Amino acid sequence: MSPVDTISLVNGREDRVDPADRGLAYGDGLFETMAAVDGVIGWLDYHLERLELGCRRLAIRPPDAATLRAEITEHCPPRGRCVVKLIVTRGAGARGYGPPADIEPTRILSISSWPSYPAENYSRGIRLRTLELALGENAALAGLKHLNRLEQVLAQMELRHTDAHEGLLRTTSGHVVGGTMSNVFVVRGTELATPRLARAGVAGVMRRVVLEQAGAVGLVATERDLTIADCRAADELFVTNSLLGIWPVARFDSRELAIGVHTASLMRDLGYGAAA
Amino acid sequence: MSPVDTISLVNGREDRVDPADRGLAYGDGLFETMAAVDGVIGWLDYHLERLELGCRRLAIRPPDAATLRAEITEHCPPRGRCVVKLIVTRGAGARGYGPPADIEPTRILSISSWPSYPAENYSRGIRLRTLELALGENAALAGLKHLNRLEQVLAQMELRHTDAHEGLLRTTSGHVVGGTMSNVFVVRGTELATPRLARAGVAGVMRRVVLEQAGAVGLVATERDLTIADCRAADELFVTNSLLGIWPVARFDSRELAIGVHTASLMRDLGYGAAA
């Protein structure tokens, strides 16, 4: 596929979206952004599991997993890398926040070209900067990859006025959440800590993979409340998402960090460009 | 128009929505819900003013106001009541939270049948109930009628398990915001207070109209932080939005309230069914 091509299927057909879809009206839905290599989606089971869990929490009828798998398999290019994005909304319905009882979920599968991440982000690490924007806290939505993403849009707009690659976000009560489009991990001694997502944030699939992999590189994984001070005191810092994998942090605000051995081991074990 | 008809125009054409629209992907946009009577929109200037202000705050290029007015005039039925909803999104663009530089906003105009509000909601008042769900606080989004409305969807779902007509929402730090789909007003003595919207909530057009009208009925209007205790201590309570106008509150949680003279005067002056 050419770099600008995106194909989209709405409920399995090449189509556009009903203007009355609640995904558009209210952000009433969820999404998954997945990395495909030669027709195979990385951690597809985890993505589909999170999607189903999200549907349950929002009381959206989950689309049939077999249908989703078949559709992805049919349309994912058999060669090369691409991004496979799946949106599931509550469906199209009448006006008003309260969902109608008999509503069919909408699924939108989009396949687009692979983003070109600079090799230095892996080999030399990135600059991470604390942003001013504070995220609202909502336990009912925390952890979900839902479609209400205006805060992340505003965060990216703030980030563009800096020289950093990624921005670190806190909630209104000062708890670290993660990056604008990534989860954040703090290594200190043998602890690998990442913010627990009780108030805000997205429970990333790569976050789950890294937590599961921690033991293999000699780290004890924990999910807990983290402050900016915890991030400043880190021996190693890195960010993750399903597309980029793992980026080590080489500068956090004004502090320089070396790419640590644990980060490098995780990157190597999970197949993301070896640190320099 | 028949009760189930909805017509929608995407950028002036009878069309569907691009699956890559950022309104769908991220809720990256705004909307206005307006009451039309015999082809005339109530407080159209206020709606268009709020929309433009919202676009500025989100750095969305505002659509041309003359185009919006012409489109509404052309498609709004000349007889009867209907709901005119206008969505403006940042537009369709590539994947990723950061908006592309050269992006054309999308406008979606939908015209649908008038909701049938029970006459007793005006004549006898409604039941208002404090909900458990706490809204996240975000100063950057507070006041805007943006498309990130999952909290309101969840609030409506909670409300359905009660016998109340509307639910009262607080933020995570305990400040009263308003109803799930309305603003709330508290009359005590000669003060008419409504929550200031510094942390959350929507600056409703009917809220603005009522604040402007307060003096004419002998009330001093204020926007300030309000607690549940302030609502409990009210002489009169009512909720507002552009479609329903004003509904007096006859029961707040377990407390019964009479429909007060100030509420009745505001309803009469603004043309919403006289209280019984």
Side-chain angles (χ1 to χ4, degrees):
Chain A
M1 62 200 303
S2 92
V4 293
D5 274 349
T6 294
I7 66 157
S8 293
L9 291 112
V10 180
N11 294 330
R13 289 184 303 275
E14 286 213 40
D15 198 2
R16 289 160 75 88
V17 177
D18 187 336
D21 197 280
R22 294 174 58 92
L24 173 67
Y26 307 127
D28 192 3
L30 299 149
F31 70 113
E32 294 291 329
T33 309
M34 300 172 277
V37 181
D38 296 338
V40 177
I41 306 271
W43 296 286
L44 178 60
D45 290 353
Y46 287 10
H47 283 289
L48 294 180
E49 204 176 289
R50 178 174 66 175
L51 180 67
E52 192 178 334
L53 182 71
C55 285
R56 288 223 189 99
R57 279 182 58 191
L58 296 179
I60 291 172
R61 191 145 51 79
D64 177 58
T67 305
L68 294 178
R69 283 174 193 273
E71 208 164 281
I72 290 168
T73 304
E74 185 183 346
H75 295 284
C76 193
R79 293 280 173 276
R81 283 175 178 265
C82 64
V83 178
V84 175
K85 179 171 172 174
L86 177 63
I87 293 176
V88 172
T89 81
R90 198 181 302 274
R95 220 190 41 74
Y97 295 131
D102 54 341
I103 186 167
E104 286 282 331
T106 305
R107 60 180 197 281
I108 302 163
L109 182 71
S110 300
I111 296 174
S112 50
S113 55
W114 185 255
S116 55
Y117 298 121
E120 314 88 75
N121 290 13
Y122 300 90
S123 60
R124 294 174 185 275
I126 61 156
R127 293 181 292 275
L128 177 70
R129 189 186 169 111
T130 307
L131 299 182
E132 288 300 317
L133 183 82
L135 301 181
E137 299 186 347
N138 189 315
L141 296 175
L144 300 181
K145 200 166 172 81
H146 56 66
L147 296 172
N148 279 203
R149 292 291 152 206
L150 260 176
E151 289 182 322
Q152 283 66 39
V153 173
L154 294 178
Q156 277 280 333
M157 287 162 69
E158 183 185 343
L159 179 63
R160 283 190 185 169
H161 291 99
T162 74
D163 69 344
H165 300 83
E166 175 60 308
L168 189 68
L169 291 162
R170 293 159 294 177
T171 70
T172 46
S173 66
H175 294 90
V176 169
V177 179
T180 66
M181 52 151 197
S182 63
N183 290 110
V184 68
F185 285 84
V186 173
V187 179
R188 189 157 191 209
T190 58
E191 186 198 46
L192 176 69
T194 192
R196 73 190 184 99
L197 305 171
R199 303 175 186 87
V202 174
V205 161
M206 189 53 53
R207 174 180 182 274
R208 176 174 170 184
V209 170
V210 165
L211 287 171
E212 290 176 355
Q213 192 67 20
V217 299
L219 293 171
V220 179
T222 62
E223 299 171 60
R224 63 178 176 89
D225 287 342
L226 289 173
T227 62
I228 294 290
D230 291 319
C231 296
R232 282 208 195 102
D235 298 330
E236 306 175 27
L237 266 180
F238 61 88
V239 301
T240 64
N241 85 22
S242 293
L243 298 190
L244 64 86
I246 299 174
W247 283 345
V249 174
R251 199 179 82 200
F252 172 49
D253 291 336
S254 59
R255 202 193 138 206
E256 308 283 331
L257 289 100
I259 300 178
V261 290
H262 297 102
T263 306
S265 297
L266 283 165
M267 292 173 72
R268 188 194 55 227
D269 291 358
L270 294 170
Y272 297 103
Chain B
M1 63 200 305
S2 92
V4 292
D5 274 352
T6 294
I7 65 157
S8 293
L9 293 110
V10 180
N11 294 331
R13 290 184 301 273
E14 285 212 41
D15 198 2
R16 289 160 75 87
V17 176
D18 187 336
D21 197 280
R22 294 175 58 93
L24 173 68
Y26 307 127
D28 192 3
L30 299 150
F31 70 113
E32 295 292 328
T33 309
M34 301 173 277
V37 182
D38 296 338
V40 178
I41 306 272
W43 296 285
L44 179 59
D45 290 352
Y46 287 10
H47 283 289
L48 294 180
E49 205 176 287
R50 178 175 64 177
L51 180 67
E52 191 178 334
L53 182 71
C55 285
R56 288 223 190 98
R57 279 183 58 192
L58 295 179
I60 291 172
R61 192 145 51 79
D64 177 57
T67 304
L68 294 179
R69 282 175 194 274
E71 207 164 282
I72 290 168
T73 304
E74 185 183 346
H75 296 283
C76 192
R79 294 281 172 274
R81 283 175 177 265
C82 63
V83 177
V84 176
K85 179 170 172 175
L86 177 63
I87 293 176
V88 172
T89 81
R90 197 182 301 275
R95 220 189 42 71
Y97 295 131
D102 54 342
I103 186 166
E104 287 281 330
T106 305
R107 60 181 196 279
I108 302 163
L109 182 71
S110 299
I111 297 175
S112 51
S113 55
W114 185 253
S116 56
Y117 298 121
E120 314 89 76
N121 289 14
Y122 300 91
S123 61
R124 295 175 185 276
I126 62 156
R127 293 182 292 276
L128 177 70
R129 189 188 169 108
T130 307
L131 298 181
E132 288 299 316
L133 183 80
L135 302 181
E137 300 186 346
N138 189 318
L141 296 175
L144 300 181
K145 201 166 171 80
H146 56 67
L147 296 173
N148 279 201
R149 292 292 151 204
L150 260 176
E151 289 182 324
Q152 283 67 37
V153 173
L154 293 178
Q156 277 280 333
M157 288 162 68
E158 184 186 344
L159 180 63
R160 283 189 184 169
H161 292 98
T162 74
D163 69 345
H165 300 84
E166 176 59 309
L168 190 68
L169 291 162
R170 294 159 293 177
T171 69
T172 45
S173 66
H175 294 92
V176 170
V177 179
T180 65
M181 52 151 198
S182 64
N183 291 109
V184 69
F185 285 84
V186 173
V187 179
R188 188 155 192 212
T190 58
E191 186 199 46
L192 177 70
T194 192
R196 75 190 181 99
L197 304 171
R199 303 174 186 86
V202 175
V205 161
M206 189 54 52
R207 174 181 182 273
R208 177 174 169 185
V209 170
V210 166
L211 287 170
E212 290 176 354
Q213 193 67 20
V217 300
L219 292 172
V220 179
T222 61
E223 300 171 60
R224 64 178 177 86
D225 287 342
L226 288 173
T227 63
I228 294 291
D230 292 318
C231 297
R232 283 208 195 102
D235 299 330
E236 308 175 26
L237 266 180
F238 61 87
V239 301
T240 65
N241 84 22
S242 293
L243 298 189
L244 64 87
I246 300 175
W247 282 347
V249 174
R251 200 180 81 200
F252 171 51
D253 290 336
S254 59
R255 200 192 139 207
E256 308 285 330
L257 290 100
I259 299 178
V261 291
H262 297 101
T263 306
S265 298
L266 283 165
M267 291 173 72
R268 187 194 57 228
D269 292 358
L270 294 170
Y272 297 103

